[in-house]
Amino acid sequence: NLLIVAGAIGAALALDVTEEAISSIPRTSYGNSLVQDAAEGEPLNFLLIGSDSASTLPDDHPLRRSRPPGLRTDTMMVLRIDPVTSEASVLSIARDLWVPVAGYRQNQKLTDVMTLTDLPTLVQTIREYLQIPLHHVVQVDFNGFLEMIEILGGVPMRVDYPLRDIKGHLSI
């Protein structure tokens, strides 16, 4: 019985820490322009965006000085979760894909849509191009990516040959 009580207390503490961590994630509200409701039991589509913005890095961080201004999307994926089958699938979207920009009479590289317009336009462009609903949008910038790696305790890498990137201040 003591083990069950201790396990329940441990689980409650873990849930509390997780809830606190999730609630501390900065959020930007765009009203209903980014959100579409899914019917009960229908699959959910999450648009995952990784940007190269270094604006949230500390002022003295070397990567902040080496990143060009502007906001470009480096990674775009659609994560589809089906609650009925408990399956998840991911579609990676090529950032150099030329697409018709929603609300404009021009085509543009997908990576440049957010730079030239805004996040809601990027979301609508992907919705229209893929002809799928997008229920949630998750955007991670360079600092958020670094923090995720830190939380994971780093990512082991095997580098067989010397590697150097002067702008990125990388030398292995």
Side-chain angles (χ1 to χ4, degrees):
N1 286 341
L2 288 175
L3 286 175
I4 292 172
V5 170
I9 290 172
L13 289 173
L15 284 173
D16 186 50
V17 168
T18 303
E19 182 182 0
E20 186 176 316
I22 290 172
S23 66
S24 70
I25 296 171
R27 290 170 172 75
T28 303
S29 175
Y30 288 93
N32 291 331
S33 64
L34 299 182
V35 178
Q36 288 181 308
D37 292 328
E40 186 74 28
E42 289 292 314
L44 289 173
N45 294 325
F46 294 79
L47 177 60
L48 310 175
I49 301 171
S51 76
D52 68 352
S53 173
S55 64
T56 59
L57 288 170
D59 289 337
D60 61 341
H61 197 286
L63 288 176
R64 185 173 178 130
R65 291 187 300 272
S66 66
R67 303 300 305 167
L71 179 65
R72 285 158 303 280
T73 50
D74 280 347
T75 306
M76 287 168 276
M77 295 182 247
V78 175
L79 169 64
R80 181 178 182 90
I81 299 175
D82 190 334
V84 174
T85 62
S86 298
E87 293 180 343
S89 54
V90 177
L91 170 69
S92 180
I93 305 169
R95 69 182 188 167
D96 292 331
L97 185 67
W98 281 82
V99 296
V101 180
Y104 294 84
R105 292 183 178 171
Q106 66 181 17
N107 289 352
Q108 193 59 252
K109 276 188 190 179
L110 208 47
T111 189
D112 294 331
V113 171
M114 196 159 66
T115 304
L116 300 172
T117 61
D118 55 14
L119 182 60
T121 303
L122 174 65
V123 172
Q124 189 61 35
T125 298
I126 292 172
R127 269 189 196 132
E128 291 175 7
Y129 188 75
L130 296 179
Q131 298 181 357
I132 61 170
L134 296 171
H135 304 103
H136 300 281
V137 178
V138 177
Q139 181 181 352
V140 177
D141 66 3
F142 205 81
N143 191 41
F145 180 73
L146 291 176
E147 287 178 3
M148 280 193 302
I149 297 301
E150 189 175 304
I151 288 169
L152 292 172
V155 175
M157 294 177 56
R158 178 182 167 154
V159 181
D160 293 330
Y161 302 99
L163 182 63
R164 185 168 178 211
D165 180 351
I166 294 170
K167 284 187 175 181
H169 301 274
L170 176 69
S171 180
I172 300 175

